Amino acid sequence: MSLAEKAGQVMVAFYAGPDPAAQLAAIRELHLGGSIIMGDNVPAGSDGTVDIEAMKSVNESLQEALSQGRDWPGIISVDQEGGLVARPGAPLTEWPAPMTYGAAGDAAVSRSSMQALATELAALGFTMDHAPGADLTVGEQDPTIGARSLGGSPAVAGPQLAPLLEGFEAAGVLPSVKHFPGHGSVTTDSHLALPVQTASLDQLRKRAWAPFRDATDAGAPVVMMGHIAAEALEPGMPSSLSAASYDALRGLGFEGVAITDALNMGAIESTYPGGQAAPMALAAGADLLLMPTDPYAAHEAVVGAVK
């Protein structure tokens, strides 16, 4: 591949509204590796529910564009956790919040539920789901994760990750475990600003990182790096742009694909606008860049940084 092609292949971009025309153009012009479907991209029928055939058609057109000139499929991803975070809604099955699986503590329930959830996604043409979450919530002080977490302790969350991942694998959809180094114990929402994690390395290893180690041991293919400044790793620097954070993830034994959280979030865009975060993330250790605010600017920044 040319440098321009390589720079595009590491990006999973987003677009606005239900019409994918601009995204299809960007895929071809920038050689993008993937596209994510957000809530406003989901086509609705006259009754307000998801137009299943239209959603399939959109994803087919994206996949056709992503796959041009190569013999492997593109990434078409989605955030479908169940509970509060579910992009395509009815008539797809409405699944409970992830905390339900931690509370149930039943591996068979976790496995079969995720297989069913992912089977519906696969039928629509999705190839990756940014789930399950391995964050441990601290409860009321956690403004972002809450019931999106499997629970508040490694003993509750950890045992469910292997069966959840097995469910995705059985359906043929890549799971993307999130958000390392743990978003459930910080009190700032990274969609808005940069959270600061003050725990020591020893504390992180014993609590926040334990479920990620369980996911790694279970063969997680993808882990999402959150936008959290861990003072014990690299003070002031979002983990998604921090080599020390990627080193910590690899130190758990993870050998899969590291994808950033969305680069258009406030924790990144407020300080590193205009595409500059893209080459920073790659230099730090990211394999995939999710949702750069302007994929054209990000692509130009990556090409320029390599040159």
Side-chain angles (χ1 to χ4, degrees):
M1 286 185 281
S2 67
L3 173 56
E5 288 170 331
K6 291 175 182 176
Q9 285 297 294
V10 296
M11 289 198 289
V12 179
F14 75 106
Y15 63 101
D19 184 354
Q23 184 77 330
L24 294 171
I27 288 171
R28 296 188 177 99
E29 292 168 19
L30 300 178
H31 317 284
L32 296 178
S35 178
I36 186 171
I37 295 294
M38 300 297 287
D40 66 324
N41 305 136
V42 177
S46 57
D47 61 355
T49 63
V50 179
D51 185 331
I52 295 295
E53 292 305 316
M55 186 77 263
K56 288 173 64 176
S57 179
V58 165
N59 285 347
E60 285 171 2
S61 68
L62 293 170
Q63 187 60 260
E64 182 180 0
L66 290 165
S67 302
Q68 280 194 346
R70 65 188 210 186
D71 58 2
W72 65 91
I75 295 167
I76 301 180
S77 71
V78 68
D79 290 302
Q80 195 81 347
E81 302 173 7
L84 290 174
V85 179
R87 305 307 185 208
L92 274 70
T93 304
E94 182 179 349
W95 295 96
M99 190 170 280
T100 304
Y101 303 112
D106 187 320
V109 169
S110 294
R111 185 182 302 106
S112 61
S113 297
M114 282 310 102
Q115 182 174 349
L117 180 152
T119 296
E120 291 185 334
L121 294 179
L124 294 177
F126 291 103
T127 64
M128 180 184 289
D129 186 6
H130 299 297
D135 303 305
L136 297 177
T137 185
V138 291
E140 292 180 3
Q141 295 176 303
D142 166 16
T144 313
I145 303 302
R148 297 172 61 194
S149 168
L150 290 165
S153 73
V156 170
Q160 299 313 309
L161 284 160
L164 290 170
L165 294 171
E166 289 166 6
F168 280 106
E169 181 180 352
V173 174
L174 280 169
S176 171
V177 178
K178 58 190 185 186
H179 311 76
F180 192 84
H183 206 314
S185 58
V186 291
T187 56
T188 299
D189 184 348
S190 60
H191 293 88
L192 306 176
L194 180 64
V196 176
Q197 173 58 264
T198 59
S200 69
L201 275 178
D202 186 57
Q203 290 171 326
L204 289 169
R205 291 189 183 105
K206 287 181 178 177
R207 185 178 183 276
W209 295 357
F212 290 95
R213 190 180 302 110
D214 291 329
T216 293
D217 291 345
V222 183
V223 169
M224 178 183 286
M225 185 66 74
H227 308 313
I228 299 153
E231 292 189 345
L233 294 173
E234 189 171 353
M237 181 61 70
S239 44
S240 53
L241 309 182
S242 166
S245 297
Y246 288 96
D247 288 345
L249 174 61
R250 298 299 182 188
L252 301 181
F254 179 67
E255 297 179 346
V257 170
I259 186 171
T260 69
D261 202 349
L263 292 175
N264 66 341
M265 291 165 61
I268 298 297
E269 189 63 18
S270 61
T271 306
Y272 307 100
Q276 60 182 299
M280 292 175 68
L282 293 172
D287 300 306
L288 284 174
L289 308 172
L290 182 63
M291 296 176 65
T293 304
D294 180 346
Y296 288 87
H299 187 274
E300 183 179 3
V302 170
V303 169
V306 172
K307 286 182 176 179

